[in-house]
Amino acid sequence: MSDKKRILTGDRPTGNLHLGHYVGSLANRVKLQKEYDSFIIIADVQALTTHWEKEENLTENIYTITLDYLAAGIDPEISTIFIQSMIPELCELTMYFSLFTSVNVLRHNPTIKSEAAQHGFKDMTYGFLGYPVSQTADIAIFKAHLVPVGEDQVPHMELARRIVRRFNDLYKPVLIEPDTLVGDVPRLVGLDGKAKMSKSLNNAIFLADSPETLKTKIRSAVTDPARIRKDDPGHPEVCTIFEYHKVFNQDQVPEIEVHCRQGSIGCVDCKNKLFTRLNDLLEPMRERRNKFAGNMALVKEILFDGTSKARAVAQDTMYEVREAMEINYLNRPFKY
Ligand code: TRP
């Protein structure tokens, strides 16, 4: 076992990952995988907490997200990608954590509240309300030190730290209190200028988009509505394209800002500059994706091996957890 510190992150397999995921947490995972022992969970059970009767595509979605990871630069030789439902020990640890987790604390979690509203849940299921407990088990069972996530996951991380501390105080200090790492851009705006890039808002640029799709999406993105003619002075502070330049094209930002304000660069040219930059970012990802997509047997093997490795770690931790909780009855001395 390596003596590197461990990272645990992951996503629900709900379709293709987009640039918001990339700048919010995926880029960090790619960057840190050499320095840390990296585990990436494909959270299929968590996806079922909102789609228990509707989810038909989990199988495909699991391969899709795996290809996204590999395309983004997650290296399966050094990172461990695994499937949540194939680690039954996670259910066990979730149950133990739930014994001392307050329902009121769960009800006050702002991410849970906004997701419940978004899904129109009037009466939340036990599984949905408790998914942050299950997520705590995902992190704790691997003794992760660091969790790179998007901004919406921060309340879950606070809960995770609280649960781990409580467990360690109640029983024995066998678990690790994880730190949170939010990406450089915690919340990337959508192509429509809305606060958040999201698949369900239909305003996302996916890592898997072709150059043509990328071009069309950038062309249709909203810019400064006050600019009618090419040489009208622009207001970069209200322009979605300028937001993206700030994130993905930092070197050219000062120049673009000046020219936009002077009306000496048109929106079409400005969008072309962004296209070039984003396409440079996505092209190597497309190449890696194509390489892996041409060998899906290998992708399946990556998932199988990753899951076997993760399960062994989970089993070791559960042994310690049961010892700490003294629920290893048949291994204990007894009086009768
Ligand atoms: N909640 C995360 C998401 O929706 C997915 C997730 C499940 C996760 N378990 C995790 C993230 C553990 C970080 C750590 O994307």
Side-chain angles (χ1 to χ4, degrees):
M1 185 92 317
S2 87
D3 47 12
K4 286 180 181 166
K5 289 192 170 185
R6 188 169 286 153
I7 277 180
L8 183 290
T9 53
D11 304 272
R12 301 176 186 201
T14 55
N16 277 113
L17 297 178
H18 53 61
L19 286 177
H21 295 115
Y22 187 73
V23 293
S25 81
L26 199 47
N28 265 335
R29 302 183 205 173
V30 173
K31 191 167 73 193
L32 295 171
Q33 64 182 337
K34 290 202 184 74
E35 210 181 304
Y36 286 81
D37 184 22
S38 293
F39 280 60
I40 303 182
I41 186 168
I42 300 179
D44 61 325
V45 181
Q46 196 177 105
L48 289 168
T49 63
T50 57
H51 287 74
W52 59 89
E53 25 176 39
K54 293 166 266 178
E55 197 60 70
E56 297 129 29
N57 301 324
L58 273 178
T59 307
E60 268 115 61
N61 286 351
I62 282 170
Y63 286 107
T64 299
I65 199 163
T66 307
L67 283 175
D68 274 327
Y69 290 152
L70 297 168
I74 297 292
D75 177 353
E77 300 284 326
I78 54 177
S79 290
T80 304
I81 306 175
F82 66 97
I83 298 173
Q84 186 181 30
S85 60
M86 291 172 71
I87 317 275
E89 289 75 14
L90 288 171
C91 298
E92 188 184 355
L93 188 56
T94 302
M95 182 67 213
Y96 297 157
F97 283 165
S98 76
L99 301 174
F100 56 85
T101 302
S102 148
V103 172
N104 279 333
V105 168
L106 295 174
R107 281 189 185 284
H108 285 118
N109 179 309
T111 298
I112 287 284
K113 284 202 229 170
S114 73
E115 287 174 355
Q118 188 188 319
H119 292 288
F121 294 159
K122 284 188 207 84
D123 179 21
M124 279 182 253
T125 63
Y126 170 56
F128 173 77
L129 179 68
Y131 91 72
V133 183
S134 144
Q135 182 156 323
T136 301
D138 299 340
I139 297 162
I141 214 164
F142 298 104
K143 299 192 179 177
H145 299 85
L146 188 65
V147 184
V149 285
E151 190 190 38
D152 57 331
Q153 301 293 301
V154 170
H156 301 343
M157 290 307 301
E158 282 163 16
L159 179 78
R161 294 168 60 84
R162 187 163 168 170
I163 290 178
V164 166
R165 270 201 302 269
R166 187 98 172 93
F167 180 96
N168 286 344
D169 286 348
L170 278 169
Y171 309 113
K172 245 192 212 169
V174 297
L175 301 178
I176 293 192
E177 203 178 312
D179 287 326
T180 309
L181 180 67
V182 177
D184 294 340
V185 186
R187 201 161 258 239
L188 186 66
V189 293
L191 283 162
D192 52 1
K194 293 236 172 71
K196 192 183 171 188
M197 181 173 281
S198 129
K199 185 185 165 208
S200 52
L201 296 174
N202 203 12
N203 63 7
I205 295 172
F206 295 103
L207 303 184
D209 281 345
S210 67
E212 296 70 37
T213 306
L214 178 65
K215 190 158 252 170
T216 312
K217 285 184 176 176
I218 291 176
R219 202 175 288 154
S220 66
V222 291
T223 54
D224 175 4
R227 282 192 92 180
I228 314 232
R229 270 163 308 167
K230 192 172 158 216
D231 50 3
D232 286 339
H235 306 85
E237 63 280 2
V238 299
C239 177
T240 311
I241 295 297
F242 189 68
E243 278 301 309
Y244 292 155
H245 278 298
K246 285 200 288 192
V247 176
F248 298 103
N249 192 18
Q250 280 156 5
D251 295 350
Q252 292 189 324
V253 161
E255 171 193 335
I256 288 172
E257 174 159 17
V258 169
H259 285 299
C260 175
R261 289 195 195 281
Q262 288 173 347
S264 53
I265 178 175
C267 289
V268 174
D269 285 347
C270 184
K271 285 180 165 182
N272 284 339
K273 281 186 196 292
L274 180 68
F275 169 78
T276 304
R277 184 63 202 89
L278 282 180
N279 203 49
D280 287 349
L281 175 71
L282 296 182
E283 187 53 29
M285 298 194 198
R286 294 185 196 114
E287 279 165 24
R288 280 191 293 263
R289 177 186 309 274
N290 287 340
K291 197 183 90 199
F292 283 104
N295 188 356
M296 290 308 285
L298 173 63
V299 175
K300 183 170 168 177
E301 197 177 300
I302 288 169
L303 288 171
F304 190 85
D305 292 350
T307 304
S308 308
K309 183 177 160 200
R311 182 148 193 218
V313 176
Q315 284 172 331
D316 286 349
T317 304
M318 283 319 290
Y319 181 84
E320 291 179 83
V321 162
R322 289 183 215 108
E323 293 275 306
M325 294 178 76
E326 302 187 359
I327 51 179
N328 52 339
Y329 310 110
L330 303 187
N331 285 334
R332 299 183 65 75
F334 62 101
K335 287 199 296 275
Y336 191 74

